[in-house]
Amino acid sequence: MLRRTGSELPVEVFLANDEEYEPYVCDVVLPSLNARCVILSRILSAAPNVVEIEKYQFKLFAMLFSSFEEVLFLDADSFPILQPDSLFTSEPFKSRNMVTWPDFWASTVSSYYYEIAAQPAPHLGIWPRQSTESGEVLISKKTHAKTLLLSMYYNLWGPNYYYPLLSQGAAGEGDKETFVAAAIAVDEPYYQVIEGIVAMGHATANGLAGSAMVQFDPTEDYGLHKSPTSSTSSTTERPRPFFIHANYPKFDPATVFEPHDVNPAFADDGSYTRAWTIPQDVIENFGSDIEKHYWREILWTACELEDKFQSWSGKKGICKAVRGYWNAVFADGKG
């Protein structure tokens, strides 16, 4: 999906350990896309008595050990719908060198954290910002080395200490609050996009079957607000959509048609449906049929790699299932 935007930026795909290494994908597919696999456990094994890490903790280590000085970090289920190259040379990154995107909820940082960090706590009932959704993070390691190192510390001791302090059990508790907290603690600048995150999905009898989140262009967001540090918009105009985080359920061709709390490919009556039809005004601003492009890549992955993914060993009918969905929803001008 990154290459569909026209971007030729190099990519490093971080894997937790050798068990996640897929020889054909890492040795053939990704190199053809100017990307390479990096196995994090091989790097961490150089450190004696390293603390065991898992899940959300991997993200900071991937940023630190990437070979890039300026990093656009994307979760594995997040992708740009516009060419992201210009983000590195435009505001707000040009002056702030760190850009984050908002989550759905307000910040719920514990007052004890502010005591530990020797930072003034916000006034009661006044939250200075939204919480952070870290499916996308833009950062310069050169200018924000202290932020990354402190954030890594927060994540290393996150599960038992800093995650509860920074989120207090709020939805999505994990690494996401460590970036801005660290930047504030070491007094390094950042910009958090003001335009709120939007849930995307399709309508059901029970409401929205949300299977993705939309984040917006930070350059346009910065330009649309008179005061970039303000938490409120100065205009009714909305920046263009820039990233899609297809977070639940994972659009894995081998599992996406299995029963889930949210069934992105199915309507209430069990028939196939487009996964993303609302909010219509946001989808219309994509500029092209992003969902169709996305499913085209899912179809290619299912059919070209069905017998090559080790993690799919023993599973049958992956290509057939995705092709059946594609033919019903998108083929012959449908959709």
Side-chain angles (χ1 to χ4, degrees):
M1 293 303 291
L2 172 68
R3 294 296 176 246
R4 277 184 171 272
T5 70
S7 175
E8 297 180 356
L9 290 172
V11 175
E12 291 176 340
V13 178
F14 274 79
L15 310 176
N17 49 49
D18 287 281
E19 293 179 5
E20 293 187 354
Y21 188 84
E22 294 278 355
Y24 186 81
V25 176
C26 289
D27 299 341
V28 178
V29 177
L30 291 180
S32 74
L33 297 168
N34 191 22
R36 71 186 186 103
C37 291
V38 180
I39 302 175
L40 193 55
S41 63
R42 295 181 183 178
I43 299 172
L44 296 178
S45 65
N49 302 318
V50 66
V51 175
E52 291 291 328
I53 61 172
E54 60 183 12
K55 297 177 68 176
Y56 305 115
Q57 296 166 293
F58 286 120
K59 188 173 299 187
L60 266 296
F61 286 91
M63 292 182 183
L64 282 169
F65 291 117
S66 75
S67 64
F68 308 132
E69 189 272 300
E70 295 179 334
V71 175
L72 171 60
F73 180 92
L74 297 173
D75 276 355
D77 53 4
S78 181
F79 61 88
I81 63 175
L82 298 169
Q83 191 176 96
D85 305 41
S86 63
L87 298 183
F88 291 98
T89 57
S90 306
E91 293 289 2
F93 185 73
K94 190 175 179 179
S95 62
R96 307 295 181 89
N97 296 114
M98 174 177 164
V99 179
T100 62
W101 280 262
D103 210 333
F104 292 105
W105 304 278
S107 173
T108 54
V109 180
S110 166
S111 61
Y112 290 116
Y113 167 76
Y114 293 108
E115 292 183 31
I116 292 168
Q119 296 289 319
H123 295 294
L124 184 65
I126 301 176
W127 299 105
R129 60 178 177 84
Q130 288 292 101
S131 59
T132 303
E133 196 279 301
S134 60
E136 312 83 14
V137 177
L138 187 63
I139 194 165
S140 166
K141 289 157 64 175
K142 181 178 180 179
T143 63
H144 282 64
K146 290 180 181 179
T147 293
L148 282 172
L149 288 170
L150 182 56
S151 185
M152 182 185 71
Y153 176 82
Y154 288 163
N155 278 272
L156 194 63
W157 302 106
N160 293 326
Y161 300 100
Y162 285 98
Y163 293 167
L165 276 172
L166 292 169
S167 292
Q168 300 191 90
E173 182 176 282
D175 65 272
K176 69 192 192 80
E177 295 306 295
T178 64
F179 297 96
V180 171
I184 293 174
V186 299
D187 196 27
E188 290 180 342
Y190 73 96
Y191 180 84
Q192 180 147 301
V193 170
I194 296 169
E195 183 66 38
I197 187 173
V198 170
M200 182 170 63
H202 66 271
T204 70
N206 296 320
L208 173 70
S211 54
M213 303 177 287
V214 180
Q215 298 281 16
F216 294 86
D217 185 344
T219 300
E220 290 193 354
D221 184 83
Y222 184 87
L224 284 170
H225 299 88
K226 293 179 180 179
S227 173
T229 57
S230 171
S231 62
T232 58
S233 174
S234 60
T235 175
T236 57
E237 188 177 352
R238 169 179 274 174
R240 59 186 177 173
F242 209 99
F243 294 101
I244 291 176
H245 190 171
N247 61 312
Y248 183 81
K250 306 305 181 187
F251 281 68
D252 181 337
T255 60
V256 69
F257 300 115
E258 294 176 356
H260 299 282
D261 293 340
V262 174
N263 287 308
F266 296 100
D268 287 337
D269 62 3
S271 62
Y272 287 137
T273 182
R274 273 183 174 254
W276 303 333
T277 59
I278 51 177
Q280 190 173 350
D281 61 327
V282 173
I283 294 171
E284 288 175 350
N285 284 333
F286 286 168
S288 64
D289 193 342
I290 295 298
E291 183 180 1
K292 187 172 184 178
H293 298 329
Y294 189 45
W295 278 99
R296 191 183 299 277
E297 299 302 332
I298 295 172
L299 177 63
W300 182 91
T301 302
C303 295
E304 294 296 322
L305 305 182
E306 183 173 19
D307 60 349
K308 296 181 175 66
F309 262 118
Q310 292 179 346
S311 60
W312 290 354
S313 178
K315 294 185 178 181
K316 303 295 182 182
I318 298 173
C319 174
K320 181 179 179 181
V322 177
R323 189 175 297 282
Y325 175 82
W326 174 269
N327 289 339
V329 177
F330 296 112
D332 302 322
K334 294 178 180 178

